[in-house]
Amino acid sequence: MSVCLRTCMHRCITCMHIAYTLRTRCDEKIPGLTSKMSNAAIRIRVVDGSVANVDWRRGAKAGDLLLAACRDAGLSNASAKHFALAREREPRRPARVYADDDEIDVADVDCLVLRKWIPIDTISIERKLANRDDVALRLLFHEARDDVERGKLRPSDDQIAELESYCDPAFPVQKQYLFLCHELNGYATIELTRCRLAEPVVLDADDRRRLEKGLRVKLTVAKTGLEISRDFDDVGERLLFVVWQRIRRWRTSTDDGETFGYEVRLGSGNFVWVLLETDQAFYVCTVVQTITGQLKKEFDGPESFLARPLGESSSSSKSFRNQLFSGVGKDCDFSEI
């Protein structure tokens, strides 16, 4: 058996073990942990398969648990701000990212994962982390390798061979692996797979271009805007790309399953909603708010920014106005449907 084949088999077995461990931890509650407890010792999964041991108490703030988990994992204080606690009931599919002031309920502590949180300016920040913090480098390497193995990143044959050489157990070079991944298309984006359109999307006034309800799509969030593409083949045909300046608002809802939607001004001047059924609705809402907030700061200065809630928000539905919206900018890009 060749070295490359053995390496790939070992890598697959390792990933299957990590995925099984994560799934087990979410399906089977931590032994002895009950809703009546006021404090407990919990274990927070780290993306490299290790565990951070943290003391949890009722009413604990996510920011405190995050710092404790980062310390136990060996991350420096300067690196900790680029990581977050996520709730994952399924491996690699964050359902929520906790803000520092959020309280973490006892029902969620067994599904916590410590992972990177760099939705914008990803590559420049990761290069700085990789050069100053060996633990941060290790965690970033594991997330990058996972992106390659699950198909988000698509290296060429030559790049695959180079990446495999960097994973040689006898002489691993994680920084070179990470930096090569930085050169791959789509690295600095966040993808949500297995989404479905909750309603049809009419892309022109004559109804000649439309996306049908129930179509399975992938949502990609980038610094430039939002894109949906087909999600049932390897090609991933682009269906609709919209820059942030053409997105007027977005919302999440739990009225009929979890949905994330955003309202788009098309080149014709018409407004349409893109509504997606996804178990990652609250996660992507946080990603969108973070990216648009940072962009607003870059445009207007260092003042703090929060997406402004709209009046129709309720306990099951929350809407946010995009302060980057101008109604102009690059035309929406969509393929012939």
Side-chain angles (χ1 to χ4, degrees), residues 191-320:
E191 285 188 355
L192 275 70
T193 58
R194 290 165 25 202
C195 304
R196 291 191 183 276
L197 290 178
E199 297 292 342
V201 181
V202 178
L203 298 176
D204 64 11
D206 298 329
D207 199 13
R208 290 176 301 176
R209 296 186 179 96
R210 63 186 283 131
L211 306 177
E212 298 297 340
K213 177 180 179 180
L215 178 65
R216 179 168 167 171
V217 296
K218 173 177 66 180
L219 175 68
T220 301
V221 188
K223 186 175 182 178
T224 50
L226 296 177
E227 175 186 297
I228 54 173
S229 56
R230 297 186 187 274
D231 190 35
F232 49 77
D233 55 32
D234 292 334
V235 177
E237 176 193 0
R238 172 187 279 190
L239 302 176
L240 177 66
F241 171 76
V242 188
V243 295
W244 293 115
Q245 290 83 352
R246 285 188 176 270
I247 298 174
R248 181 159 64 173
R249 53 183 173 171
W250 57 85
R251 72 183 188 213
T252 59
S253 176
T254 57
D255 288 333
D256 187 17
E258 288 187 23
T259 61
F260 171 78
Y262 54 101
E263 189 182 32
V264 176
R265 185 181 188 272
L266 299 176
S268 63
N270 294 334
F271 285 91
V272 297
W273 274 96
V274 179
L275 296 176
L276 302 172
E277 297 173 350
T278 172
D279 59 354
Q280 296 180 277
F282 298 104
Y283 169 68
V284 71
C285 184
T286 304
V287 171
V288 167
Q289 286 177 243
T290 301
I291 291 177
T292 54
Q294 186 60 44
L295 289 173
K296 182 68 173 176
K297 289 181 182 179
E298 292 179 7
F299 295 155
D300 295 349
E303 295 84 359
S304 62
F305 166 85
L306 290 175
R308 295 177 180 173
L310 298 176
E312 64 264 28
S313 295
S314 66
S315 59
S316 60
S317 178
K318 297 186 182 301
S319 297
F320 300 88

Side-chain angles (χ1 to χ4, degrees), residues 17-51:
H17 171 72
I18 293 173
Y20 173 78
T21 305
L22 278 169
R23 186 168 56 250
T24 301
R25 284 181 52 78
C26 290
D27 291 342
E28 300 177 9
K29 302 298 181 183
I30 296 175
L33 191 63
T34 69
S35 59
K36 296 180 180 180
M37 296 184 69
S38 59
N39 58 77
I42 65 171
R43 295 162 296 173
I44 296 176
R45 182 64 51 186
V46 186
V47 292
D48 64 347
S50 63
V51 170

